[in-house]
């Protein structure tokens, strides 16, 4: 045997030397093994076609067997080559085995087109050789559905997952396997706004899992129900399912599917500090298994949390990191949210041109995948940008689109929410100077008796009527409104809606304290609070000789909810007021 091998090697060396002299092949590499390649593709193809088909299949089989034997310690490095050679041999089952492995490897490395090609080859071989292997077909459908989902082909993904569910049921697979498929199809149809279908799949998942309530699949089913219920306004139910996941999710080994569960825990957490800790947990776990989508999602959520605190500079950094990661892995759907986040941050930082660019990119992606919620959000930010530019017709167009879509996708039993959105449209008409249209919308809003919006309504109407020189009509409106809604007005804390001449009360006749704004620094009892250290104040002289305090704040500095970023002066009273 050794003599035969030596003779074979000598012949091979002679052939290679001759081919090199004829300029047909060249030494491609010497390390780790000596490899030669054809110098011209035409020469390679002519040589290959010169071998009889039966001989070619035999050669491919021998090459594949040789690779398996020689490189058995690091076979994963050769999945692609083994899939190639076995696919051209007489062993379709071996070909499928390695096509599946090569497909999973490509999918894991986000080589989406390559993975799709491998999986489609599997389906072709199964059909061509009439192989009844539902387990292989199911594996292919699951993988293709996930790839189509992350590349924005949601209709194709939905159809594939439907096929996968049917096969899984025919195979009588365990409940956990079927429940996971329910999760994947739900995650896909969420982008199409099919919330009732998601709830249906979620309840089916809970039913088949039964008492198995703290497994991966249970966390995924809970997440489906969080997503659907929060989107239709059932916040109590959504919160219940979030808390179920919080109780056991850290006990589970992290998988790419769990990313969605972590994201919705972060989204539903009302405490930004707690939510931030969950983003760190997601990032840490995603890094361990190279879940790039998980990392991008963690950065996106950190960007949104920073937005809520008006830290737009760092929010933009996080959104851009998220965008770059989603783009690198070919996740078209994932990038729409950070594009929107970047648009919001850039808008508040005053970079209008870049804000428009990011908002338009998000809108293009959302319109391709059909997720109406994100289409509405993109129109909303574009409406705000147009208002900033005083492009009133563009602002009206975008906000009308926003209102139409929200009316379609929101809970139809919430007319108050719809009325409030129309009120915002009235504000745009008012700023444009179309007072007749604004008044029409505002009076329609008044008929809804939305008490929490009453103060904004009064402010807008007073401005319009005063601008038209019709202040008496504003007073008539106020009186008419109070009479019409007298019962509900009883509990309203605001009793005086407009200023009228009145005598000065003697109740507050004694001076309690005074400050001289000309002095620097101000009285020590005042404390200047500037949370993000980007605002300022100064004392200024007015035309009448009096002094005033002028505070300058950047965009987004407010005192609402968790966002306490506005600059302000605080004073501790050491004396009881009369």
């Amino acid at each position: 045997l050794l003599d035969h091998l030596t003779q074979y090697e000598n012949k091979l060396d002679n052939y290679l030397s001759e081919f090199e002299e004829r300029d047909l092949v060249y030494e491609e590499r010497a390390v780790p093994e000596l490899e030669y390649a054809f110098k011209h593709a035409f020469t390679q193809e002519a040589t290959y076609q010169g071998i009889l088909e039966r001989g070619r299949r035999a050669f491919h089989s021998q090459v594949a067997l040789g690779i398996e034997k020689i490189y058995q310690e690091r076979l994963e490095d050769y999945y692609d080559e083994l899939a190639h050679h076995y696919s051209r041999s007489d062993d379709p089952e071996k070909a499928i085995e390695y096509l599946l492995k090569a497909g999973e490897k490509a999918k894991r490395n986000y080589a989406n087109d390559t993975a799709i090609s491998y999986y489609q080859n599997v389906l072709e071989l199964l059909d061509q050789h009439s192989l009844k292997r539902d387990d292989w077909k199911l594996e292919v459908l699951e993988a293709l559905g996930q790839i189509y989902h992350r590349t924005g082909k949601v209709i194709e993904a939905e159809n594939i997952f439907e096929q996968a569910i049917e096969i899984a049921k025919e195979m009588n697979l365990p409940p956990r396997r079927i429940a996971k498929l329910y999760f994947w199809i739900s995650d896909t149809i969420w982008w199409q706004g099919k919330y009732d279908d998601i709830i249906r799949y979620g309840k089916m998942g809970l039913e088949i899992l039964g008492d198995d309530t703290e497994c991966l699949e249970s966390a995924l089913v809970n997440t489906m129900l969080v997503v659907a219920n929060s989107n239709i306004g059932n916040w109590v139910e959504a919160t219940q399912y979030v808390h179920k996941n919080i109780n056991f999710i850290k006990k589970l080994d992290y998988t790419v599917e769990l990313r969605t569960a972590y994201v919705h825990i972060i989204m539903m957490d009302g405490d930004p500090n707690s939510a931030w800790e969950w983003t760190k947990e997601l990032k840490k776990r995603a890094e361990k298994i190279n879940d790039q989508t998980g990392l991008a999602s963690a950065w996106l959520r950190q960007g949104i949390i920073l937005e809520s605190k008006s830290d737009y500079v760092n929010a933009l950094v996080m959104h851009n990191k998220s965008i770059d990661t989603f783009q690198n892995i070919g996740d078209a759907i994932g990038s729409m949210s950070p594009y929107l986040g970047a648009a919001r941050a850039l808008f508040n930082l005053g970079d209008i041109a870049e804000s428009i660019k990011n908002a338009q990119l998000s809108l293009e992606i959302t319109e391709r995948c059909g997720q109406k919620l994100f289409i509405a959000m993109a129109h909303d930010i574009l409406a705000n940008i147009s208002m900033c530019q005083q492009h009133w017709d563009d602002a009206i167009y975008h906000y009308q689109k926003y209102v139409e879509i929200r009316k379609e996708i929101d809970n139809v039993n919430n007319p108050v929410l719809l009325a409030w959105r129309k009120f915002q449209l009235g504000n745009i008409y008012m700023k444009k100077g179309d007072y007749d249209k604004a008044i029409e919308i505002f009076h329609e809003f008044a008929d809804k008796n939305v008490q929490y919006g009453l103060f904004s309504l009064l402010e807008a109407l007073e401005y319009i009527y005063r601008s038209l020189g019709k202040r008496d009509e504003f007073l008539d409106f106020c009186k008419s409104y109070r009479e019409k809604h007298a019962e509900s007005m009883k509990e309203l804390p605001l009793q005086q809606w407009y200023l009228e001449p009145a005598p000065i009360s003697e109740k507050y006749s004694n001076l309690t304290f005074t400050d001289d704004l000309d002095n620097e620094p101000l009285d020590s009892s005042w404390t200047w609070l500037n949370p993000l250290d980007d605002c300022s104040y100064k004392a200024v002289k007015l035309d009448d000789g009096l002094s005033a305090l002028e505070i300058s704040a950047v965009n987004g500095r407010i005192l609402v909810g968790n966002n306490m970023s506005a600059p302000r002066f605080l004073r501790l009273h050491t004396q009881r007021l009369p």
Side-chain angles (χ1 to χ4, degrees), residues 426-493:
N427 270 325
I428 302 176
Y429 279 108
M430 180 179 69
K431 290 173 183 176
K432 179 186 176 183
D434 189 344
Y435 293 147
D436 289 340
K437 185 64 177 177
I439 288 174
E440 176 188 334
I441 293 174
F442 292 149
H443 278 271
E444 180 184 345
F445 181 78
D447 290 338
K448 304 293 183 184
N449 190 24
V450 184
Q451 286 197 18
Y452 70 85
L454 176 60
F455 307 146
S456 297
L457 173 67
L458 293 172
E459 179 185 17
L461 283 175
E462 184 176 24
Y463 172 83
I464 291 176
Y465 283 122
R466 189 174 67 244
S467 300
L468 293 172
K470 299 178 179 179
R471 186 173 184 275
D472 289 343
E473 290 191 25
F474 172 66
L475 301 181
D476 290 342
F477 166 81
C478 292
K479 293 171 183 175
S480 172
Y481 189 93
R482 295 188 79 151
E483 290 172 4
K484 185 176 181 180
H485 303 288
E487 191 62 31
S488 59
M489 293 295 103
K490 290 179 179 178
E491 303 299 323
L492 196 65

Side-chain angles (χ1 to χ4, degrees), residues 225-227 229-230 234-243 268:
L225 292 166
V226 172
V227 171
N229 280 293
S230 61
N234 292 341
W235 294 105
V236 174
E237 287 190 51
T239 303
Q240 289 173 348
Y241 288 114
V242 163
H243 285 192
M268 297 288 286

Side-chain angles (χ1 to χ4, degrees), residues 244-282:
K244 285 183 180 180
N245 278 350
I246 289 174
N247 290 335
F248 70 91
I249 194 170
K250 289 184 180 180
K251 302 175 188 175
L252 302 175
D253 291 333
Y254 181 80
T255 68
V256 293
E257 295 96 340
L258 270 183
R259 173 187 66 252
T260 307
Y262 276 93
V263 166
H264 282 86
I265 289 172
I266 296 164
M267 290 172 62
M268 297 288 286
D269 196 324
D271 179 359
N273 295 323
S274 172
W276 187 270
E277 291 303 313
W278 278 103
T279 65
K280 289 165 62 177
E281 181 72 16
L282 172 58

Side-chain angles (χ1 to χ4, degrees), residues 127-269:
D127 184 58
Q128 181 182 338
H129 296 278
S130 301
L131 295 172
K132 301 297 182 183
R133 289 292 302 268
D134 284 343
D135 56 334
W136 281 346
K137 187 173 183 180
L138 179 60
E139 184 178 344
V140 168
L141 292 175
E142 282 186 279
L144 281 175
Q146 292 169 22
I147 295 170
Y148 284 137
H149 172 272
R150 76 184 179 198
T151 53
K153 299 177 181 178
V154 291
I155 303 298
E156 293 91 332
E158 180 186 0
N159 292 334
I160 286 174
F161 283 129
E162 284 177 347
Q163 295 176 49
I165 289 170
E166 289 304 312
I167 291 174
K169 288 180 176 178
E170 290 172 6
M171 294 172 67
N172 198 27
L173 291 181
R176 287 188 178 186
R177 187 77 183 278
I178 297 174
K180 186 180 286 190
L181 288 171
Y182 287 157
F183 162 76
W184 274 112
I185 195 169
S186 295
D187 203 35
T188 299
I189 63 179
W190 179 81
W191 295 100
Q192 302 168 59
K194 298 181 179 180
Y195 306 125
D196 290 339
D197 287 341
I198 296 174
I199 291 175
R200 178 170 58 85
Y201 280 122
K203 290 181 177 177
M204 289 164 60
L206 290 178
E207 183 178 350
I208 63 172
L209 288 171
D211 295 333
D212 192 5
T213 58
E214 294 196 355
C215 59
L216 164 66
E217 292 73 17
S218 178
L220 299 180
V221 170
N222 288 338
T223 301
M224 292 157 49
L225 292 166
V226 172
V227 171
N229 280 293
S230 61
N231 275 278
I232 63 175
N234 292 341
W235 294 105
V236 174
E237 287 190 51
T239 303
Q240 289 173 348
Y241 288 114
V242 163
H243 285 192
K244 285 183 180 180
N245 278 350
I246 289 174
N247 290 335
F248 70 91
I249 194 170
K250 289 184 180 180
K251 302 175 188 175
L252 302 175
D253 291 333
Y254 181 80
T255 68
V256 293
E257 295 96 340
L258 270 183
R259 173 187 66 252
T260 307
Y262 276 93
V263 166
H264 282 86
I265 289 172
I266 296 164
M267 290 172 62
M268 297 288 286
D269 196 324

